[in-house]
Amino acid sequence: MTTHTVRRFDEVTEGESLPSRTIPVTRAHLIHYAGASGDRNVIHWDERTAQAVGLPDVIAHGMWTMGAAVQLVTDWVGDAGRVLDYGTRFTKPVVVPHDGGASLEVTGTVKSLDADTKQAVVELAVTSSGEKVLGRCRATVQLD
């Protein structure tokens, strides 16, 4: 059993950078996510269909991308249950070529702290192939 240490309010500063992360995404990830989520839209696994509707190739599910990115915050805060609020806007699709897949580059910064509630707002920057794929990506977390 793994134990996590929840980040303490007095250990966190505004402007603090969270450790960045590169998250691989392959067609296998998309197939597994489609099965688990029930989102079996063909644009997530068949390039002919994706291209027929104007996409460059198969694209990752937006909710998969969102969920993968917030892992940076949950690992940093030490407990996924400490994420009180999380939202984003999908700005570009994550294109996932058959050979080699793609990757997400995720960085995070503590934007604000509230001493009364011991909460922090973390802003994430999420890119793939140099393109911003999530915009206004923010999580509010409860610190100890």
Side-chain angles (χ1 to χ4, degrees), residues 33 37 39 44 60-69 86 88 90 134:
Y33 183 81
S37 70
D39 180 354
H44 300 301
H61 304 74
M63 296 307 286
W64 182 90
T65 303
M66 185 179 175
Y86 177 51
T88 191
F90 302 106
L134 297 179

Side-chain angles (χ1 to χ4, degrees), residues 26-41:
T26 65
R27 297 277 177 98
H29 289 112
L30 303 183
I31 297 294
H32 294 157
Y33 183 81
S37 70
D39 180 354
R40 296 181 179 91
N41 189 323

Side-chain angles (χ1 to χ4, degrees), residues 2 5 16 23 34 38 61 68 80 87 98 100 107 123 138 141:
T2 303
T5 302
E16 176 179 337
I23 302 169
H61 304 74
H98 183 272
T107 61
E123 187 168 278
R138 291 186 179 162
V141 298

Side-chain angles (χ1 to χ4, degrees), residues 17-23 72 105-108:
S17 296
L18 282 61
S20 62
R21 180 172 297 170
T22 300
I23 302 169
L72 184 75
E105 302 295 329
V106 185
T107 61

Side-chain angles (χ1 to χ4, degrees), residues 3 10 14 28 52 66 79 95 114 122 130 133:
T3 59
D10 59 0
E14 285 186 11
M66 185 179 175
D79 177 1
V95 178
D114 184 327
V122 177
V133 295

Side-chain angles (χ1 to χ4, degrees), residues 50-61:
Q51 291 167 352
V53 297
L55 296 168
D57 206 328
V58 166
I59 61 169
H61 304 74

